[in-house]
Structure formats: structure tokens, C-alpha cells
mmCIF file of all heavy atoms in Angstrom:
data_model
loop_
_atom_site.group_PDB
_atom_site.id
_atom_site.type_symbol
_atom_site.label_atom_id
_atom_site.label_comp_id
_atom_site.label_asym_id
_atom_site.label_seq_id
_atom_site.Cartn_x
_atom_site.Cartn_y
_atom_site.Cartn_z
ATOM 1 N N MET N 1 108.201 119.607 220.637
ATOM 2 C CA MET N 1 106.896 119.370 220.036
ATOM 3 C C MET N 1 106.774 120.018 218.660
ATOM 4 O O MET N 1 106.130 119.470 217.764
ATOM 5 C CB MET N 1 105.787 119.884 220.956
ATOM 6 C CG MET N 1 105.398 118.932 222.070
ATOM 7 S SD MET N 1 104.833 117.326 221.443
ATOM 8 C CE MET N 1 103.468 117.816 220.376
ATOM 9 N N ALA N 2 107.391 121.170 218.490
ATOM 10 C CA ALA N 2 107.366 121.828 217.182
ATOM 11 C C ALA N 2 108.037 120.943 216.130
ATOM 12 O O ALA N 2 107.590 120.874 214.976
ATOM 13 C CB ALA N 2 108.055 123.188 217.262
ATOM 14 N N VAL N 3 109.097 120.229 216.529
ATOM 15 C CA VAL N 3 109.768 119.301 215.614
ATOM 16 C C VAL N 3 108.837 118.139 215.276
ATOM 17 O O VAL N 3 108.696 117.741 214.112
ATOM 18 C CB VAL N 3 111.084 118.786 216.234
ATOM 19 C CG1 VAL N 3 111.706 117.694 215.354
ATOM 20 C CG2 VAL N 3 112.063 119.936 216.428
ATOM 21 N N TYR N 4 108.158 117.581 216.283
ATOM 22 C CA TYR N 4 107.245 116.465 216.025
ATOM 23 C C TYR N 4 106.107 116.889 215.094
ATOM 24 O O TYR N 4 105.697 116.118 214.213
ATOM 25 C CB TYR N 4 106.648 115.926 217.323
ATOM 26 C CG TYR N 4 107.655 115.406 218.324
ATOM 27 C CD1 TYR N 4 107.406 115.481 219.690
ATOM 28 C CD2 TYR N 4 108.845 114.814 217.916
ATOM 29 C CE1 TYR N 4 108.313 114.999 220.617
ATOM 30 C CE2 TYR N 4 109.762 114.332 218.836
ATOM 31 C CZ TYR N 4 109.487 114.436 220.189
ATOM 32 O OH TYR N 4 110.391 113.960 221.100
ATOM 33 N N ARG N 5 105.605 118.094 215.308
ATOM 34 C CA ARG N 5 104.506 118.565 214.444
ATOM 35 C C ARG N 5 104.960 118.663 212.986
ATOM 36 O O ARG N 5 104.244 118.255 212.072
ATOM 37 C CB ARG N 5 103.999 119.918 214.932
ATOM 38 C CG ARG N 5 103.213 119.856 216.226
ATOM 39 C CD ARG N 5 102.542 121.179 216.566
ATOM 40 N NE ARG N 5 101.943 121.116 217.891
ATOM 41 C CZ ARG N 5 102.522 121.526 219.013
ATOM 42 N NH1 ARG N 5 103.732 122.092 218.964
ATOM 43 N NH2 ARG N 5 101.913 121.412 220.180
ATOM 44 N N GLU N 6 106.150 119.211 212.771
ATOM 45 C CA GLU N 6 106.668 119.312 211.410
ATOM 46 C C GLU N 6 106.947 117.923 210.833
ATOM 47 O O GLU N 6 106.631 117.648 209.668
ATOM 48 C CB GLU N 6 107.934 120.166 211.397
ATOM 49 C CG GLU N 6 108.651 120.241 210.044
ATOM 50 C CD GLU N 6 107.823 120.877 208.929
ATOM 51 O OE1 GLU N 6 106.719 121.411 209.196
ATOM 52 O OE2 GLU N 6 108.291 120.827 207.778
ATOM 53 N N ASN N 7 107.524 117.046 211.646
ATOM 54 C CA ASN N 7 107.800 115.684 211.170
ATOM 55 C C ASN N 7 106.511 114.957 210.816
ATOM 56 O O ASN N 7 106.458 114.219 209.822
ATOM 57 C CB ASN N 7 108.558 114.901 212.239
ATOM 58 C CG ASN N 7 109.987 115.390 212.430
ATOM 59 O OD1 ASN N 7 110.451 116.275 211.717
ATOM 60 N ND2 ASN N 7 110.677 114.828 213.401
ATOM 61 N N ARG N 8 105.483 115.143 211.629
ATOM 62 C CA ARG N 8 104.187 114.517 211.345
ATOM 63 C C ARG N 8 103.646 115.006 209.997
ATOM 64 O O ARG N 8 103.177 114.213 209.179
ATOM 65 C CB ARG N 8 103.208 114.854 212.464
ATOM 66 C CG ARG N 8 101.764 114.381 212.243
ATOM 67 C CD ARG N 8 100.939 114.797 213.460
ATOM 68 N NE ARG N 8 99.538 114.400 213.378
ATOM 69 C CZ ARG N 8 98.543 115.200 213.003
ATOM 70 N NH1 ARG N 8 98.801 116.456 212.632
ATOM 71 N NH2 ARG N 8 97.297 114.766 212.989
ATOM 72 N N ARG N 9 103.755 116.304 209.754
ATOM 73 C CA ARG N 9 103.288 116.865 208.484
ATOM 74 C C ARG N 9 104.052 116.239 207.319
ATOM 75 O O ARG N 9 103.450 115.839 206.300
ATOM 76 C CB ARG N 9 103.475 118.385 208.484
ATOM 77 C CG ARG N 9 102.927 119.083 207.222
ATOM 78 C CD ARG N 9 103.332 120.550 207.170
ATOM 79 N NE ARG N 9 104.755 120.722 206.948
ATOM 80 C CZ ARG N 9 105.356 120.613 205.767
ATOM 81 N NH1 ARG N 9 104.645 120.308 204.682
ATOM 82 N NH2 ARG N 9 106.657 120.794 205.644
ATOM 83 N N LEU N 10 105.363 116.139 207.464
ATOM 84 C CA LEU N 10 106.179 115.568 206.398
ATOM 85 C C LEU N 10 105.828 114.103 206.143
ATOM 86 O O LEU N 10 105.762 113.660 204.992
ATOM 87 C CB LEU N 10 107.661 115.687 206.758
ATOM 88 C CG LEU N 10 108.241 117.103 206.761
ATOM 89 C CD1 LEU N 10 109.633 117.106 207.375
ATOM 90 C CD2 LEU N 10 108.280 117.681 205.347
ATOM 91 N N MET N 11 105.580 113.360 207.218
ATOM 92 C CA MET N 11 105.232 111.944 207.056
ATOM 93 C C MET N 11 103.882 111.764 206.378
ATOM 94 O O MET N 11 103.730 110.913 205.489
ATOM 95 C CB MET N 11 105.225 111.262 208.425
ATOM 96 C CG MET N 11 106.580 111.173 209.094
ATOM 97 S SD MET N 11 107.724 110.034 208.290
ATOM 98 C CE MET N 11 107.238 108.484 209.041
ATOM 99 N N ILE N 12 102.900 112.551 206.791
ATOM 100 C CA ILE N 12 101.559 112.435 206.213
ATOM 101 C C ILE N 12 101.585 112.774 204.725
ATOM 102 O O ILE N 12 100.862 112.178 203.919
ATOM 103 C CB ILE N 12 100.568 113.320 206.982
ATOM 104 C CG1 ILE N 12 100.359 112.755 208.394
ATOM 105 C CG2 ILE N 12 99.238 113.421 206.267
ATOM 106 C CD1 ILE N 12 99.613 113.682 209.314
ATOM 107 N N GLU N 13 102.448 113.721 204.351
ATOM 108 C CA GLU N 13 102.585 114.071 202.944
ATOM 109 C C GLU N 13 103.511 113.111 202.195
ATOM 110 O O GLU N 13 103.246 112.738 201.049
ATOM 111 C CB GLU N 13 103.139 115.500 202.809
ATOM 112 C CG GLU N 13 102.188 116.590 203.258
ATOM 113 C CD GLU N 13 102.792 117.981 203.109
ATOM 114 O OE1 GLU N 13 103.961 118.073 202.633
ATOM 115 O OE2 GLU N 13 102.127 118.958 203.475
ATOM 116 N N GLY N 14 104.612 112.704 202.843
ATOM 117 C CA GLY N 14 105.660 111.976 202.149
ATOM 118 C C GLY N 14 105.446 110.488 202.034
ATOM 119 O O GLY N 14 105.849 109.879 201.022
ATOM 120 N N LEU N 15 104.838 109.868 203.016
ATOM 121 C CA LEU N 15 104.640 108.420 202.932
ATOM 122 C C LEU N 15 103.758 108.025 201.750
ATOM 123 O O LEU N 15 104.088 107.071 201.025
ATOM 124 C CB LEU N 15 104.076 107.878 204.249
ATOM 125 C CG LEU N 15 105.080 107.734 205.397
ATOM 126 C CD1 LEU N 15 104.369 107.319 206.681
ATOM 127 C CD2 LEU N 15 106.186 106.730 205.062
ATOM 128 N N PRO N 16 102.626 108.703 201.491
ATOM 129 C CA PRO N 16 101.847 108.343 200.300
ATOM 130 C C PRO N 16 102.627 108.500 198.998
ATOM 131 O O PRO N 16 102.486 107.683 198.079
ATOM 132 C CB PRO N 16 100.645 109.298 200.364
ATOM 133 C CG PRO N 16 100.496 109.608 201.818
ATOM 134 C CD PRO N 16 101.907 109.682 202.332
ATOM 135 N N LYS N 17 103.463 109.538 198.921
ATOM 136 C CA LYS N 17 104.291 109.711 197.729
ATOM 137 C C LYS N 17 105.262 108.551 197.550
ATOM 138 O O LYS N 17 105.651 108.210 196.428
ATOM 139 C CB LYS N 17 105.056 111.032 197.800
ATOM 140 C CG LYS N 17 104.176 112.271 197.723
ATOM 141 C CD LYS N 17 105.022 113.531 197.870
ATOM 142 C CE LYS N 17 104.163 114.797 197.880
ATOM 143 N NZ LYS N 17 104.973 116.013 198.138
ATOM 144 N N ALA N 18 105.658 107.955 198.681
ATOM 145 C CA ALA N 18 106.581 106.824 198.633
ATOM 146 C C ALA N 18 105.855 105.501 198.461
ATOM 147 O O ALA N 18 106.489 104.436 198.486
ATOM 148 C CB ALA N 18 107.426 106.790 199.904
ATOM 149 N N GLY N 19 104.530 105.545 198.302
ATOM 150 C CA GLY N 19 103.772 104.324 198.074
ATOM 151 C C GLY N 19 103.116 103.740 199.308
ATOM 152 O O GLY N 19 102.429 102.717 199.217
ATOM 153 N N PHE N 20 103.302 104.384 200.455
ATOM 154 C CA PHE N 20 102.642 103.934 201.683
ATOM 155 C C PHE N 20 101.420 104.830 201.895
ATOM 156 O O PHE N 20 101.429 105.762 202.697
ATOM 157 C CB PHE N 20 103.601 104.016 202.867
ATOM 158 C CG PHE N 20 104.834 103.171 202.699
ATOM 159 C CD1 PHE N 20 106.035 103.732 202.264
ATOM 160 C CD2 PHE N 20 104.798 101.806 202.939
ATOM 161 C CE1 PHE N 20 107.171 102.968 202.097
ATOM 162 C CE2 PHE N 20 105.933 101.020 202.767
ATOM 163 C CZ PHE N 20 107.120 101.599 202.341
ATOM 164 N N ASP N 21 100.354 104.526 201.139
ATOM 165 C CA ASP N 21 99.218 105.441 201.092
ATOM 166 C C ASP N 21 98.032 104.986 201.937
ATOM 167 O O ASP N 21 97.009 105.666 201.989
ATOM 168 C CB ASP N 21 98.762 105.649 199.644
ATOM 169 C CG ASP N 21 98.478 104.342 198.913
ATOM 170 O OD1 ASP N 21 98.652 103.255 199.523
ATOM 171 O OD2 ASP N 21 98.101 104.402 197.729
ATOM 172 N N ARG N 22 98.176 103.867 202.609
ATOM 173 C CA ARG N 22 97.088 103.390 203.478
ATOM 174 C C ARG N 22 97.440 103.716 204.927
ATOM 175 O O ARG N 22 97.832 102.856 205.728
ATOM 176 C CB ARG N 22 96.873 101.895 203.287
ATOM 177 C CG ARG N 22 96.484 101.524 201.857
ATOM 178 C CD ARG N 22 96.173 100.047 201.707
ATOM 179 N NE ARG N 22 95.849 99.710 200.318
ATOM 180 C CZ ARG N 22 95.422 98.519 199.932
ATOM 181 N NH1 ARG N 22 95.266 97.537 200.813
ATOM 182 N NH2 ARG N 22 95.150 98.289 198.660
ATOM 183 N N ILE N 23 97.323 104.992 205.252
ATOM 184 C CA ILE N 23 97.690 105.488 206.580
ATOM 185 C C ILE N 23 96.582 106.407 207.083
ATOM 186 O O ILE N 23 95.745 106.878 206.311
ATOM 187 C CB ILE N 23 99.027 106.268 206.558
ATOM 188 C CG1 ILE N 23 98.922 107.506 205.659
ATOM 189 C CG2 ILE N 23 100.178 105.367 206.103
ATOM 190 C CD1 ILE N 23 100.126 108.429 205.718
ATOM 191 N N ALA N 24 96.588 106.640 208.397
ATOM 192 C CA ALA N 24 95.674 107.605 209.013
ATOM 193 C C ALA N 24 96.504 108.558 209.854
ATOM 194 O O ALA N 24 97.441 108.125 210.536
ATOM 195 C CB ALA N 24 94.639 106.897 209.876
ATOM 196 N N PRO N 25 96.207 109.850 209.824
ATOM 197 C CA PRO N 25 96.985 110.797 210.624
ATOM 198 C C PRO N 25 96.893 110.457 212.109
ATOM 199 O O PRO N 25 95.799 110.222 212.632
ATOM 200 C CB PRO N 25 96.322 112.146 210.330
ATOM 201 C CG PRO N 25 95.609 111.957 209.028
ATOM 202 C CD PRO N 25 95.177 110.522 209.006
ATOM 203 N N PRO N 26 98.036 110.397 212.810
ATOM 204 C CA PRO N 26 98.002 110.112 214.239
ATOM 205 C C PRO N 26 97.516 111.319 215.041
ATOM 206 O O PRO N 26 97.828 112.462 214.708
ATOM 207 C CB PRO N 26 99.462 109.790 214.563
ATOM 208 C CG PRO N 26 100.251 110.514 213.521
ATOM 209 C CD PRO N 26 99.409 110.527 212.286
ATOM 210 N N ASP N 27 96.760 111.053 216.109
ATOM 211 C CA ASP N 27 96.299 112.110 217.009
ATOM 212 C C ASP N 27 97.400 112.546 217.964
ATOM 213 O O ASP N 27 97.412 113.678 218.448
ATOM 214 C CB ASP N 27 95.108 111.622 217.849
ATOM 215 C CG ASP N 27 93.938 111.169 216.996
ATOM 216 O OD1 ASP N 27 93.610 111.879 216.029
ATOM 217 O OD2 ASP N 27 93.356 110.114 217.300
ATOM 218 N N GLY N 28 98.283 111.608 218.304
ATOM 219 C CA GLY N 28 99.340 111.879 219.268
ATOM 220 C C GLY N 28 100.489 110.911 219.050
ATOM 221 O O GLY N 28 100.534 110.172 218.069
ATOM 222 N N ALA N 29 101.435 110.911 220.007
ATOM 223 C CA ALA N 29 102.660 110.116 219.902
ATOM 224 C C ALA N 29 103.451 110.540 218.662
ATOM 225 O O ALA N 29 103.257 111.637 218.130
ATOM 226 C CB ALA N 29 102.355 108.613 219.909
ATOM 227 N N PHE N 30 104.343 109.678 218.178
ATOM 228 C CA PHE N 30 105.145 110.044 216.992
ATOM 229 C C PHE N 30 105.336 108.840 216.084
ATOM 230 O O PHE N 30 106.450 108.478 215.715
ATOM 231 C CB PHE N 30 106.500 110.662 217.375
ATOM 232 C CG PHE N 30 107.128 110.167 218.650
ATOM 233 C CD1 PHE N 30 107.364 108.824 218.864
ATOM 234 C CD2 PHE N 30 107.492 111.067 219.645
ATOM 235 C CE1 PHE N 30 107.954 108.372 220.024
ATOM 236 C CE2 PHE N 30 108.070 110.625 220.819
ATOM 237 C CZ PHE N 30 108.318 109.283 221.013
ATOM 238 N N TYR N 31 104.184 108.224 215.739
ATOM 239 C CA TYR N 31 104.183 107.060 214.873
ATOM 240 C C TYR N 31 103.136 107.195 213.778
ATOM 241 O O TYR N 31 102.086 107.811 213.981
ATOM 242 C CB TYR N 31 103.840 105.787 215.656
ATOM 243 C CG TYR N 31 104.684 105.541 216.878
ATOM 244 C CD1 TYR N 31 104.115 105.533 218.147
ATOM 245 C CD2 TYR N 31 106.045 105.298 216.762
ATOM 246 C CE1 TYR N 31 104.882 105.301 219.273
ATOM 247 C CE2 TYR N 31 106.822 105.071 217.882
ATOM 248 C CZ TYR N 31 106.229 105.069 219.140
ATOM 249 O OH TYR N 31 107.005 104.841 220.245
ATOM 250 N N VAL N 32 103.429 106.555 212.639
ATOM 251 C CA VAL N 32 102.429 106.333 211.605
ATOM 252 C C VAL N 32 102.371 104.826 211.370
ATOM 253 O O VAL N 32 103.410 104.180 211.157
ATOM 254 C CB VAL N 32 102.782 107.062 210.293
ATOM 255 C CG1 VAL N 32 101.765 106.714 209.214
ATOM 256 C CG2 VAL N 32 102.835 108.577 210.508
ATOM 257 N N TYR N 33 101.161 104.280 211.413
ATOM 258 C CA TYR N 33 100.947 102.843 211.218
ATOM 259 C C TYR N 33 100.368 102.657 209.826
ATOM 260 O O TYR N 33 99.306 103.184 209.503
ATOM 261 C CB TYR N 33 99.980 102.335 212.279
ATOM 262 C CG TYR N 33 99.976 100.842 212.491
ATOM 263 C CD1 TYR N 33 101.144 100.147 212.793
ATOM 264 C CD2 TYR N 33 98.783 100.120 212.440
ATOM 265 C CE1 TYR N 33 101.135 98.777 213.026
ATOM 266 C CE2 TYR N 33 98.760 98.748 212.680
ATOM 267 C CZ TYR N 33 99.937 98.090 212.974
ATOM 268 O OH TYR N 33 99.920 96.734 213.215
ATOM 269 N N ALA N 34 101.086 101.934 208.987
ATOM 270 C CA ALA N 34 100.725 101.814 207.570
ATOM 271 C C ALA N 34 100.274 100.397 207.242
ATOM 272 O O ALA N 34 100.919 99.408 207.630
ATOM 273 C CB ALA N 34 101.918 102.182 206.694
ATOM 274 N N ASP N 35 99.181 100.299 206.505
ATOM 275 C CA ASP N 35 98.687 99.029 205.971
ATOM 276 C C ASP N 35 99.449 98.742 204.679
ATOM 277 O O ASP N 35 99.349 99.490 203.703
ATOM 278 C CB ASP N 35 97.186 99.147 205.717
ATOM 279 C CG ASP N 35 96.573 97.880 205.121
ATOM 280 O OD1 ASP N 35 97.320 96.951 204.775
ATOM 281 O OD2 ASP N 35 95.341 97.853 204.983
ATOM 282 N N ILE N 36 100.223 97.653 204.689
ATOM 283 C CA ILE N 36 100.965 97.257 203.478
ATOM 284 C C ILE N 36 100.525 95.869 203.019
ATOM 285 O O ILE N 36 101.271 95.168 202.320
ATOM 286 C CB ILE N 36 102.489 97.296 203.706
ATOM 287 C CG1 ILE N 36 102.897 96.363 204.863
ATOM 288 C CG2 ILE N 36 102.969 98.720 203.960
ATOM 289 C CD1 ILE N 36 104.395 96.075 204.912
ATOM 290 N N SER N 37 99.309 95.462 203.408
ATOM 291 C CA SER N 37 98.839 94.111 203.089
ATOM 292 C C SER N 37 98.699 93.887 201.586
ATOM 293 O O SER N 37 98.691 92.738 201.123
ATOM 294 C CB SER N 37 97.514 93.833 203.794
ATOM 295 O OG SER N 37 96.532 94.779 203.421
ATOM 296 N N HIS N 38 98.592 94.977 200.801
ATOM 297 C CA HIS N 38 98.543 94.838 199.341
ATOM 298 C C HIS N 38 99.936 94.627 198.749
ATOM 299 O O HIS N 38 100.070 94.317 197.555
ATOM 300 C CB HIS N 38 97.901 96.076 198.719
ATOM 301 C CG HIS N 38 98.578 97.364 199.071
ATOM 302 N ND1 HIS N 38 98.752 97.793 200.371
ATOM 303 C CD2 HIS N 38 99.133 98.333 198.283
ATOM 304 C CE1 HIS N 38 99.380 98.960 200.363
ATOM 305 N NE2 HIS N 38 99.632 99.296 199.114
ATOM 306 N N LEU N 39 100.974 94.798 199.583
ATOM 307 C CA LEU N 39 102.345 94.648 199.119
ATOM 308 C C LEU N 39 102.995 93.362 199.615
ATOM 309 O O LEU N 39 103.842 92.788 198.931
ATOM 310 C CB LEU N 39 103.197 95.844 199.588
ATOM 311 C CG LEU N 39 102.722 97.236 199.187
ATOM 312 C CD1 LEU N 39 103.584 98.298 199.832
ATOM 313 C CD2 LEU N 39 102.742 97.390 197.663
ATOM 314 N N THR N 40 102.625 92.924 200.831
ATOM 315 C CA THR N 40 103.265 91.758 201.427
ATOM 316 C C THR N 40 102.414 91.228 202.562
ATOM 317 O O THR N 40 101.587 91.954 203.121
ATOM 318 C CB THR N 40 104.668 92.129 201.970
ATOM 319 O OG1 THR N 40 105.314 90.952 202.470
ATOM 320 C CG2 THR N 40 104.567 93.143 203.101
ATOM 321 N N ASP N 41 102.644 89.953 202.898
ATOM 322 C CA ASP N 41 102.075 89.399 204.128
ATOM 323 C C ASP N 41 103.192 89.029 205.103
ATOM 324 O O ASP N 41 102.958 88.324 206.084
ATOM 325 C CB ASP N 41 101.199 88.173 203.835
ATOM 326 C CG ASP N 41 101.966 87.039 203.168
ATOM 327 O OD1 ASP N 41 103.195 87.171 202.958
ATOM 328 O OD2 ASP N 41 101.344 86.004 202.861
ATOM 329 N N ASP N 42 104.407 89.518 204.813
ATOM 330 C CA ASP N 42 105.567 89.249 205.663
ATOM 331 C C ASP N 42 106.260 90.573 205.977
ATOM 332 O O ASP N 42 107.258 90.931 205.351
ATOM 333 C CB ASP N 42 106.514 88.273 204.983
ATOM 334 C CG ASP N 42 107.644 87.801 205.894
ATOM 335 O OD1 ASP N 42 107.829 88.395 206.980
ATOM 336 O OD2 ASP N 42 108.360 86.849 205.517
ATOM 337 N N SER N 43 105.697 91.303 206.933
ATOM 338 C CA SER N 43 106.234 92.633 207.235
ATOM 339 C C SER N 43 107.659 92.568 207.766
ATOM 340 O O SER N 43 108.442 93.508 207.587
ATOM 341 C CB SER N 43 105.324 93.353 208.237
ATOM 342 O OG SER N 43 105.232 92.638 209.456
ATOM 343 N N ARG N 44 108.003 91.461 208.408
ATOM 344 C CA ARG N 44 109.364 91.353 208.942
ATOM 345 C C ARG N 44 110.387 91.299 207.803
ATOM 346 O O ARG N 44 111.410 91.994 207.843
ATOM 347 C CB ARG N 44 109.470 90.121 209.840
ATOM 348 C CG ARG N 44 110.706 90.120 210.712
ATOM 349 C CD ARG N 44 110.581 89.137 211.863
ATOM 350 N NE ARG N 44 111.657 89.344 212.815
ATOM 351 C CZ ARG N 44 111.711 88.786 214.017
ATOM 352 N NH1 ARG N 44 110.724 88.000 214.420
ATOM 353 N NH2 ARG N 44 112.731 89.004 214.824
ATOM 354 N N ALA N 45 110.109 90.503 206.792
ATOM 355 C CA ALA N 45 111.009 90.421 205.640
ATOM 356 C C ALA N 45 111.017 91.740 204.874
ATOM 357 O O ALA N 45 112.070 92.182 204.379
ATOM 358 C CB ALA N 45 110.596 89.274 204.728
ATOM 359 N N PHE N 46 109.858 92.380 204.768
ATOM 360 C CA PHE N 46 109.766 93.655 204.053
ATOM 361 C C PHE N 46 110.585 94.716 204.779
ATOM 362 O O PHE N 46 111.338 95.484 204.149
ATOM 363 C CB PHE N 46 108.294 94.077 203.963
ATOM 364 C CG PHE N 46 108.002 95.060 202.859
ATOM 365 C CD1 PHE N 46 107.755 94.626 201.563
ATOM 366 C CD2 PHE N 46 107.957 96.416 203.116
ATOM 367 C CE1 PHE N 46 107.475 95.529 200.543
ATOM 368 C CE2 PHE N 46 107.681 97.333 202.113
ATOM 369 C CZ PHE N 46 107.441 96.882 200.817
#
């Protein structure tokens, strides 16, 4: 869990720097769901 907490912190900080800035901090699990609709409408190809 300590690893997940650190990874979550890095993702919340790092994804916006990488241009994925439409995110919300997750309450649990180990995922970040990002809105990229301003970049593409074909997430599979992206």
C-alpha cells in the first residue's frame, strides 16, 4: 500500500505535466481515469 500511495502521488503530479490534465484523484484502487476528448475521439488508436 505504501507503494500505491507513492505511485498515486506521482501520477497526480506527473500526468498533468505530461498533458493529461483532466483527471480526478482516485479514492481507492490503483487507476487514474483521464478525459482526453480534447485530444481525440478514438482512444483505442491513441
Side-chain angles (χ1 to χ4, degrees):
M1 278 301 303
V3 173
Y4 300 149
R5 288 189 187 95
E6 175 62 8
N7 290 356
R8 174 180 180 261
R9 184 189 69 79
L10 291 170
M11 294 291 275
I12 292 169
E13 292 180 1
L15 283 174
K17 293 177 183 175
F20 300 98
D21 53 359
R22 299 184 182 186
I23 62 172
D27 302 316
F30 32 55
Y31 307 116
V32 176
Y33 198 55
D35 179 353
I36 59 165
S37 58
H38 57 302
L39 303 175
T40 184
D41 60 2
D42 188 348
S43 61
R44 195 163 191 169
F46 201 85

